[in-house]
Amino acid sequence: MMKKSQENTENQLTARWRKHGEPAATALGFNNSINTSLNISRNVANIAPSKTPNKKGDDGKHKTPSKTPRKSPSRDGITGDRFIPSRIGSQYDIAHALILQENQTDSQLLSPSTLEQQRLIGEVLNCNEMNKVKILSYATKPPAAPEGHVNRLKVLYHNSKTPATVKKTTRHIPQSPERILDAPDLVDDYYLNLIHWSKNNHLAVALSKQLYIWNAATGDISQIMETDGDEDYICSVNWIKEGNLLAVGTAEGVVQLWDIEASRRLRMMAGHNARVGCLSWNEHILSSGSRSGNIHHHDVRVANHHVATLSGHTQEVCSLFWSPDGRFLASGGNDNLANIWDLTLGHSNVQPLQILNEHQAAVKGLAWCPWQSSLLATGGGTADRTIKFWNTNNGVCINTVDTGSQVSSILWSTEYKELISGHGYANNQLILWKYPTMTKVSELTGHNGRVLYMTMSPDGSTVASGAADETLRLWKCFTVDPTKKKKDIASKTVRNVATASLR
């Protein structure tokens, strides 16, 4: 019992009981310094006077530890023959753990929290070599480590600065158009669709009665047709996916089909009793929307081309778009409705699959998301000014964004998760949006009249806009990073080679 009391007393002593004149503990010989300090403390307890109540030791005599006066170190830490380190950064918890390690039999006297703390310290310090660790930290700069030395305890005191945030590289979006084309007599009508870009890089532009084709590769311009009647004019144009046939809708309710390479009209398809303001292709089926509110399906392969009529709008149909997979047709009308039609139900189906009725003005802007087949974006007119996103599977509006001005057209980018919208009153601008956050990427201004029509180049890099100021402006706003383009071409080549080998 007396022996255990002596062990407890020794464990409670720390380095601060060092006798004046005793050499300070060094960084790598701390255990020897602790043992020396314990032995000196025993001798001091036998000879020093006591000012505290005495306690009996193992031999039955009264003993008490006594502090000896210490001389204050000089300002630079050197007093005569020794260096006294600064203890500001000393790790006393680790020192205490080392002392307790010498007497593992006393661990049952410690609280569970203290034992857990010692265990964690031992794991970090690698308890197999705890006798060699550094305990004191000196205010003066330590000498450089030998070449090739690896410090195992760097994790304890290494000050790792948080790396600066990596700056994301953003592409340059020109704020001025790449090219401006004059478009005299471009009709200022919100409900028409007068420009469209083909897969063959041909831009079709309808200027009142005349139809022009601009070859974007060569810059050549050619006039293809002109309407005959005094009251007749072109109301809509739309290329077939392959880019060799162009459909033209007129004010007399007739749809014409043109072979552009041969500059020859192939056929005229009547049926509407009012002007045809929008067109959309789905393979061999051409859909046309009229001011009467009806939508006709034309099978261009057969003589009896009119195969179905869809009656879901009470006012003029001003926008038509087939989904990329060809299953659904989206229509927007002046009755503030956007309807979704399901082709799988047959051409004779007269009821829309979904009726989207949350807009407060005509729905002219329509665009299917290229990477999510069930996502549709719609844009409303002057009284609405919003872009809405819909889940066409259930007709639920996912998000609504107030653009602040009339929405005339919407296009999704095929290279980025972005979309661009064209606006009329009151800002007459184009806005690039980041999806799905719908934060503005850029605003493109320059038109002096409301932006009415938009179409995208076949490579997805350039947007053409037509406005009431009778100009066409080409905006290179979706330029692909050259390095990314090379990687895409390389991966596409690998896929083609793999497919060919499987065949």
Side-chain angles (χ1 to χ4, degrees):
M1 183 67 182
M2 296 174 66
K3 184 177 180 180
K4 188 169 182 86
S5 175
Q6 181 185 6
E7 292 174 353
N8 291 337
T9 303
E10 292 176 355
N11 289 333
Q12 294 172 357
L13 298 176
T14 60
R16 65 176 177 272
W17 297 96
R18 184 178 67 252
K19 181 180 177 181
H20 176 66
E22 173 193 329
T26 60
L28 298 178
F30 184 78
N31 285 335
N32 293 333
S33 141
I34 291 293
N35 294 333
T36 303
S37 131
L38 291 173
N39 293 333
I40 292 174
S41 298
R42 294 192 192 100
N43 296 334
V44 170
N46 291 331
I47 62 175
S50 174
K51 294 183 181 181
T52 59
N54 294 336
K55 295 182 181 180
K56 289 185 179 182
D58 290 343
D59 55 359
K61 297 180 181 181
H62 294 280
K63 296 181 179 180
T64 181
S66 157
K67 293 184 180 179
T68 60
R70 293 183 298 173
K71 184 178 179 180
S72 299
S74 61
R75 179 170 298 180
D76 59 357
I78 300 177
T79 59
D81 60 343
R82 70 185 187 279
F83 169 76
I84 299 178
S86 170
R87 302 191 183 194
I88 295 176
S90 299
Q91 304 180 31
Y92 291 106
D93 288 339
I94 299 177
H96 185 59
L98 290 172
I99 295 172
L100 293 179
Q101 189 183 20
E102 295 180 358
N103 285 316
Q104 297 293 338
T105 57
D106 291 342
S107 61
Q108 66 272 17
L109 302 178
L110 303 176
S111 65
S113 60
T114 305
L115 291 175
E116 178 65 15
Q117 181 187 24
Q118 293 176 2
R119 185 187 67 79
L120 293 175
I121 294 174
E123 287 181 357
V124 175
L125 293 178
N126 187 0
C127 59
N128 294 330
E129 299 183 3
M130 284 184 68
N131 294 337
K132 299 180 181 180
V133 300
K134 181 184 291 186
I135 301 301
L136 299 179
S137 63
Y138 297 90
T140 56
K141 187 175 181 180
E147 185 178 356
H149 173 71
V150 178
N151 189 353
R152 307 183 314 279
L153 307 179
K154 186 177 181 180
V155 66
L156 290 179
Y157 52 84
H158 178 65
N159 182 20
S160 59
K161 297 181 179 179
T162 304
T165 304
V166 179
K167 185 178 181 180
K168 294 183 179 180
T169 57
T170 56
R171 72 183 189 278
H172 172 65
I173 302 176
Q175 296 301 300
S176 57
E178 184 183 37
R179 181 173 294 185
I180 301 176
L181 303 176
D182 290 331
D185 297 329
L186 184 66
V187 179
D188 181 3
D189 194 322
Y190 178 78
Y191 303 101
L192 304 184
N193 295 270
L194 301 180
I195 64 174
H196 197 223
W197 215 322
S198 77
K199 181 181 179 181
N200 297 330
N201 210 14
H202 293 161
L203 179 62
V205 182
L207 302 178
S208 187
K209 291 177 171 293
Q210 292 83 27
L211 174 65
Y212 293 89
I213 302 297
W214 178 65
N215 188 328
T218 63
D220 296 336
I221 301 175
S222 57
Q223 180 179 343
I224 299 300
M225 63 160 287
E226 182 175 356
T227 57
D228 297 329
D230 295 336
E231 301 297 327
D232 196 13
Y233 57 92
I234 300 173
C235 299
S236 56
V237 293
N238 198 266
W239 292 95
I240 196 171
K241 183 179 180 181
E242 291 73 18
N244 58 331
L245 298 179
L246 179 67
V248 181
T250 67
E252 292 183 348
V254 177
V255 178
Q256 301 183 18
L257 197 61
W258 283 80
D259 182 351
I260 299 303
E261 294 297 329
S263 297
R264 181 171 61 93
R265 185 175 64 195
L266 300 179
R267 66 185 303 178
M268 297 178 64
M269 298 177 290
H272 289 289
N273 56 11
R275 69 178 186 179
V276 180
C278 52
L279 299 164
S280 185
W281 285 90
N282 183 14
E283 296 183 353
H284 57 276
I285 298 296
L286 174 62
S287 300
S288 58
S290 171
R291 177 177 276 180
S292 64
N294 291 332
I295 300 171
H296 289 181
H297 289 327
H298 309 270
D299 189 339
V300 300
R301 301 172 301 176
V302 297
N304 297 324
H305 55 86
H306 186 193
V307 294
T309 299
L310 307 179
S311 301
H313 293 277
T314 58
Q315 297 187 40
E316 182 169 10
V317 181
C318 51
S319 188
L320 277 180
F321 282 95
W322 280 97
S323 61
D325 58 8
R327 290 186 55 198
F328 303 102
L329 174 67
S331 62
N334 195 33
D335 53 2
N336 307 347
L337 296 180
N339 292 332
I340 308 298
W341 310 85
D342 190 352
L343 181 62
T344 60
L345 299 179
H347 292 305
S348 60
N349 176 47
V350 294
Q351 297 298 323
L353 179 67
Q354 301 288 350
I355 300 177
L356 314 179
N357 57 5
E358 295 187 17
H359 282 288
Q360 304 301 316
V363 181
K364 170 73 180 300
L366 279 180
W368 292 92
C369 178
W371 63 83
Q372 189 173 344
S373 59
S374 61
L375 179 60
L376 177 70
T378 60
T382 306
D384 184 79
R385 305 179 303 178
T386 65
I387 296 177
K388 296 182 183 295
F389 298 90
W390 306 85
N391 182 344
T392 57
N393 291 328
N394 51 23
V396 174
C397 181
I398 301 172
N399 190 17
T400 299
V401 178
D402 188 355
T403 66
S405 57
Q406 179 188 54
V407 182
S408 61
S409 49
I410 301 172
L411 296 172
W412 289 92
S413 171
T414 56
E415 296 293 337
Y416 305 92
K417 286 197 171 182
E418 297 175 359
L419 64 153
I420 185 170
S421 56
H423 298 272
Y425 302 123
N427 297 327
N428 305 329
Q429 62 184 350
L430 285 75
I431 303 178
L432 271 71
W433 307 88
K434 193 74 175 177
Y435 186 83
T437 60
M438 290 306 290
T439 55
K440 289 184 181 180
V441 178
S442 181
E443 296 185 18
L444 307 178
T445 59
H447 281 293
N448 297 322
R450 60 177 181 168
V451 178
L452 296 167
Y453 321 111
M454 282 200 321
T455 185
M456 186 175 290
S457 63
D459 63 357
S461 65
T462 306
V463 172
S465 60
D469 58 4
E470 298 186 348
T471 64
L472 295 178
R473 297 173 188 256
L474 307 184
W475 311 86
K476 209 166 185 65
C477 50
F478 295 120
T479 305
V480 183
D481 185 358
T483 58
K484 179 183 176 183
K485 189 173 183 180
K486 290 180 181 179
K487 291 180 180 178
D488 292 343
I489 293 174
S491 60
K492 186 176 181 180
T493 303
V494 171
R495 288 197 301 269
N496 293 339
V497 171
T499 305
S501 63
L502 291 174
R503 291 177 180 174

